[in-house]
Amino acid sequence: MDVIDEITLTGVRAFGRHGVYAEERERGQDFVVDATLFVQTARAAASDDVTDTIHYGEAAERIAEIVAGEPVNLLETLAERIAGDLLARPGVERVAVTVHKPQAPIPVPFADVAVTIRRSKPVDAAPLSPTGVAR
């Protein structure tokens, strides 16, 4: 079995207008995202070339763009959007995404509320030939 490695981004902060309540969408608030990308890093370690790995700066920028983008009601939906975008990157096999909403409108004292999802690329039943036909 191949070894799977992890690239983790912790505390990516961006302003967004997500939430169920109109006030949340009007005022907006900061969201914080943690993301772990499960990848093979041996090739990058051997080549010492960023093109052989996931550019975590670009991944962080994309996470911030998604948070700042089209509003959604639920943290679950926001996490799903982020996970789908990260999984679309070549070499990313699985992801774990946590979206924190530290200023959520909860009427009792709390430190944080977060949703974590884990997603994997689907495993193809049969590899495709160069012409796109299942072998």
PDB file of all heavy atoms in Angstrom, residues 1 4 36-39 87 91-96 119-121:
ATOM      1  N   MET A   1       0.842  -1.188   0.000  1.00  0.00           N
ATOM      2  CA  MET A   1       0.000   0.000   0.000  1.00  0.00           C
ATOM      3  C   MET A   1       0.883   1.246   0.000  1.00  0.00           C
ATOM      4  O   MET A   1       1.869   1.311   0.710  1.00  0.00           O
ATOM      5  CB  MET A   1      -0.911  -0.028   1.227  1.00  0.00           C
ATOM      6  CG  MET A   1      -1.836   1.142   1.299  1.00  0.00           C
ATOM      7  SD  MET A   1      -2.951   0.911   2.700  1.00  0.00           S
ATOM      8  CE  MET A   1      -4.032   2.260   2.415  1.00  0.00           C
ATOM      9  N   ILE A   4       0.456   7.560   2.380  1.00  0.00           N
ATOM     10  CA  ILE A   4      -0.247   8.814   2.105  1.00  0.00           C
ATOM     11  C   ILE A   4       0.241   9.847   3.109  1.00  0.00           C
ATOM     12  O   ILE A   4       0.393   9.558   4.280  1.00  0.00           O
ATOM     13  CB  ILE A   4      -1.776   8.643   2.165  1.00  0.00           C
ATOM     14  CG1 ILE A   4      -2.497   9.883   1.668  1.00  0.00           C
ATOM     15  CG2 ILE A   4      -2.252   8.312   3.528  1.00  0.00           C
ATOM     16  CD1 ILE A   4      -2.987   9.726   0.282  1.00  0.00           C
ATOM     17  N   THR A  36      -6.946  19.612   5.644  1.00  0.00           N
ATOM     18  CA  THR A  36      -5.872  18.642   5.476  1.00  0.00           C
ATOM     19  C   THR A  36      -6.070  17.968   4.131  1.00  0.00           C
ATOM     20  O   THR A  36      -7.147  17.448   3.846  1.00  0.00           O
ATOM     21  CB  THR A  36      -5.860  17.600   6.607  1.00  0.00           C
ATOM     22  OG1 THR A  36      -5.670  18.281   7.856  1.00  0.00           O
ATOM     23  CG2 THR A  36      -4.742  16.589   6.411  1.00  0.00           C
ATOM     24  N   LEU A  37      -5.023  18.013   3.309  1.00  0.00           N
ATOM     25  CA  LEU A  37      -5.036  17.383   1.993  1.00  0.00           C
ATOM     26  C   LEU A  37      -4.163  16.137   2.073  1.00  0.00           C
ATOM     27  O   LEU A  37      -3.000  16.212   2.498  1.00  0.00           O
ATOM     28  CB  LEU A  37      -4.492  18.344   0.937  1.00  0.00           C
ATOM     29  CG  LEU A  37      -5.324  19.592   0.663  1.00  0.00           C
ATOM     30  CD1 LEU A  37      -5.170  20.622   1.761  1.00  0.00           C
ATOM     31  CD2 LEU A  37      -4.934  20.183  -0.652  1.00  0.00           C
ATOM     32  N   PHE A  38      -4.712  15.017   1.708  1.00  0.00           N
ATOM     33  CA  PHE A  38      -3.986  13.754   1.743  1.00  0.00           C
ATOM     34  C   PHE A  38      -3.420  13.510   0.352  1.00  0.00           C
ATOM     35  O   PHE A  38      -4.162  13.383  -0.623  1.00  0.00           O
ATOM     36  CB  PHE A  38      -4.921  12.624   2.177  1.00  0.00           C
ATOM     37  CG  PHE A  38      -5.407  12.803   3.592  1.00  0.00           C
ATOM     38  CD1 PHE A  38      -6.525  13.582   3.869  1.00  0.00           C
ATOM     39  CD2 PHE A  38      -4.729  12.223   4.649  1.00  0.00           C
ATOM     40  CE1 PHE A  38      -6.970  13.765   5.167  1.00  0.00           C
ATOM     41  CE2 PHE A  38      -5.163  12.405   5.950  1.00  0.00           C
ATOM     42  CZ  PHE A  38      -6.285  13.178   6.208  1.00  0.00           C
ATOM     43  N   VAL A  39      -2.087  13.487   0.279  1.00  0.00           N
ATOM     44  CA  VAL A  39      -1.372  13.456  -0.996  1.00  0.00           C
ATOM     45  C   VAL A  39      -0.136  12.566  -0.879  1.00  0.00           C
ATOM     46  O   VAL A  39       0.284  12.202   0.215  1.00  0.00           O
ATOM     47  CB  VAL A  39      -0.933  14.876  -1.416  1.00  0.00           C
ATOM     48  CG1 VAL A  39      -2.137  15.785  -1.610  1.00  0.00           C
ATOM     49  CG2 VAL A  39       0.006  15.485  -0.403  1.00  0.00           C
ATOM     50  N   LEU A  87     -10.415  18.753  -3.677  1.00  0.00           N
ATOM     51  CA  LEU A  87     -10.336  17.414  -4.280  1.00  0.00           C
ATOM     52  C   LEU A  87     -10.124  17.469  -5.788  1.00  0.00           C
ATOM     53  O   LEU A  87      -9.619  16.515  -6.374  1.00  0.00           O
ATOM     54  CB  LEU A  87     -11.604  16.620  -3.990  1.00  0.00           C
ATOM     55  CG  LEU A  87     -11.651  15.857  -2.687  1.00  0.00           C
ATOM     56  CD1 LEU A  87     -13.016  15.215  -2.509  1.00  0.00           C
ATOM     57  CD2 LEU A  87     -10.540  14.821  -2.590  1.00  0.00           C
ATOM     58  N   GLY A  91      -3.565  15.107  -7.689  1.00  0.00           N
ATOM     59  CA  GLY A  91      -2.740  14.568  -6.612  1.00  0.00           C
ATOM     60  C   GLY A  91      -3.411  14.526  -5.257  1.00  0.00           C
ATOM     61  O   GLY A  91      -2.929  13.860  -4.346  1.00  0.00           O
ATOM     62  N   VAL A  92      -4.519  15.231  -5.091  1.00  0.00           N
ATOM     63  CA  VAL A  92      -5.228  15.205  -3.810  1.00  0.00           C
ATOM     64  C   VAL A  92      -6.172  14.013  -3.828  1.00  0.00           C
ATOM     65  O   VAL A  92      -7.064  13.920  -4.660  1.00  0.00           O
ATOM     66  CB  VAL A  92      -6.010  16.516  -3.556  1.00  0.00           C
ATOM     67  CG1 VAL A  92      -6.785  16.424  -2.250  1.00  0.00           C
ATOM     68  CG2 VAL A  92      -5.067  17.702  -3.545  1.00  0.00           C
ATOM     69  N   GLU A  93      -5.959  13.093  -2.887  1.00  0.00           N
ATOM     70  CA  GLU A  93      -6.764  11.872  -2.845  1.00  0.00           C
ATOM     71  C   GLU A  93      -7.928  11.971  -1.873  1.00  0.00           C
ATOM     72  O   GLU A  93      -8.999  11.429  -2.126  1.00  0.00           O
ATOM     73  CB  GLU A  93      -5.870  10.694  -2.485  1.00  0.00           C
ATOM     74  CG  GLU A  93      -4.783  10.449  -3.533  1.00  0.00           C
ATOM     75  CD  GLU A  93      -3.855   9.321  -3.167  1.00  0.00           C
ATOM     76  OE1 GLU A  93      -4.249   8.414  -2.412  1.00  0.00           O
ATOM     77  OE2 GLU A  93      -2.706   9.351  -3.648  1.00  0.00           O
ATOM     78  N   ARG A  94      -7.693  12.659  -0.746  1.00  0.00           N
ATOM     79  CA  ARG A  94      -8.718  12.838   0.281  1.00  0.00           C
ATOM     80  C   ARG A  94      -8.517  14.204   0.914  1.00  0.00           C
ATOM     81  O   ARG A  94      -7.420  14.761   0.869  1.00  0.00           O
ATOM     82  CB  ARG A  94      -8.611  11.769   1.378  1.00  0.00           C
ATOM     83  CG  ARG A  94      -8.887  10.369   0.902  1.00  0.00           C
ATOM     84  CD  ARG A  94      -9.047   9.377   2.063  1.00  0.00           C
ATOM     85  NE  ARG A  94      -8.077   9.504   3.126  1.00  0.00           N
ATOM     86  CZ  ARG A  94      -6.993   8.746   3.283  1.00  0.00           C
ATOM     87  NH1 ARG A  94      -6.706   7.820   2.391  1.00  0.00           N
ATOM     88  NH2 ARG A  94      -6.189   8.912   4.298  1.00  0.00           N
ATOM     89  N   VAL A  95      -9.572  14.704   1.549  1.00  0.00           N
ATOM     90  CA  VAL A  95      -9.470  15.953   2.290  1.00  0.00           C
ATOM     91  C   VAL A  95     -10.281  15.846   3.581  1.00  0.00           C
ATOM     92  O   VAL A  95     -11.239  15.073   3.660  1.00  0.00           O
ATOM     93  CB  VAL A  95      -9.975  17.182   1.487  1.00  0.00           C
ATOM     94  CG1 VAL A  95      -9.113  17.439   0.268  1.00  0.00           C
ATOM     95  CG2 VAL A  95     -11.431  17.046   1.114  1.00  0.00           C
ATOM     96  N   ALA A  96      -9.873  16.626   4.542  1.00  0.00           N
ATOM     97  CA  ALA A  96     -10.666  16.872   5.751  1.00  0.00           C
ATOM     98  C   ALA A  96     -10.743  18.386   5.867  1.00  0.00           C
ATOM     99  O   ALA A  96      -9.717  19.066   5.834  1.00  0.00           O
ATOM    100  CB  ALA A  96     -10.009  16.260   6.975  1.00  0.00           C
ATOM    101  N   ARG A 119     -13.836  13.920   2.780  1.00  0.00           N
ATOM    102  CA  ARG A 119     -14.256  13.477   1.460  1.00  0.00           C
ATOM    103  C   ARG A 119     -13.077  12.845   0.733  1.00  0.00           C
ATOM    104  O   ARG A 119     -11.928  13.221   0.959  1.00  0.00           O
ATOM    105  CB  ARG A 119     -14.787  14.645   0.615  1.00  0.00           C
ATOM    106  CG  ARG A 119     -16.010  15.343   1.194  1.00  0.00           C
ATOM    107  CD  ARG A 119     -17.237  14.437   1.180  1.00  0.00           C
ATOM    108  NE  ARG A 119     -18.424  15.102   1.679  1.00  0.00           N
ATOM    109  CZ  ARG A 119     -18.853  15.045   2.943  1.00  0.00           C
ATOM    110  NH1 ARG A 119     -18.175  14.360   3.849  1.00  0.00           N
ATOM    111  NH2 ARG A 119     -19.963  15.674   3.294  1.00  0.00           N
ATOM    112  N   SER A 120     -13.384  11.899  -0.162  1.00  0.00           N
ATOM    113  CA  SER A 120     -12.376  11.228  -0.987  1.00  0.00           C
ATOM    114  C   SER A 120     -12.790  11.305  -2.446  1.00  0.00           C
ATOM    115  O   SER A 120     -13.978  11.399  -2.750  1.00  0.00           O
ATOM    116  CB  SER A 120     -12.266   9.747  -0.609  1.00  0.00           C
ATOM    117  OG  SER A 120     -11.889   9.600   0.723  1.00  0.00           O
ATOM    118  N   LYS A 121     -11.792  11.229  -3.313  1.00  0.00           N
ATOM    119  CA  LYS A 121     -12.100  11.109  -4.734  1.00  0.00           C
ATOM    120  C   LYS A 121     -12.734   9.747  -4.951  1.00  0.00           C
ATOM    121  O   LYS A 121     -12.330   8.759  -4.337  1.00  0.00           O
ATOM    122  CB  LYS A 121     -10.825  11.223  -5.570  1.00  0.00           C
ATOM    123  CG  LYS A 121     -10.375  12.640  -5.757  1.00  0.00           C
ATOM    124  CD  LYS A 121      -9.251  12.730  -6.755  1.00  0.00           C
ATOM    125  CE  LYS A 121      -8.877  14.190  -6.940  1.00  0.00           C
ATOM    126  NZ  LYS A 121      -7.645  14.371  -7.665  1.00  0.00           N
TER     127      LYS A 121
END
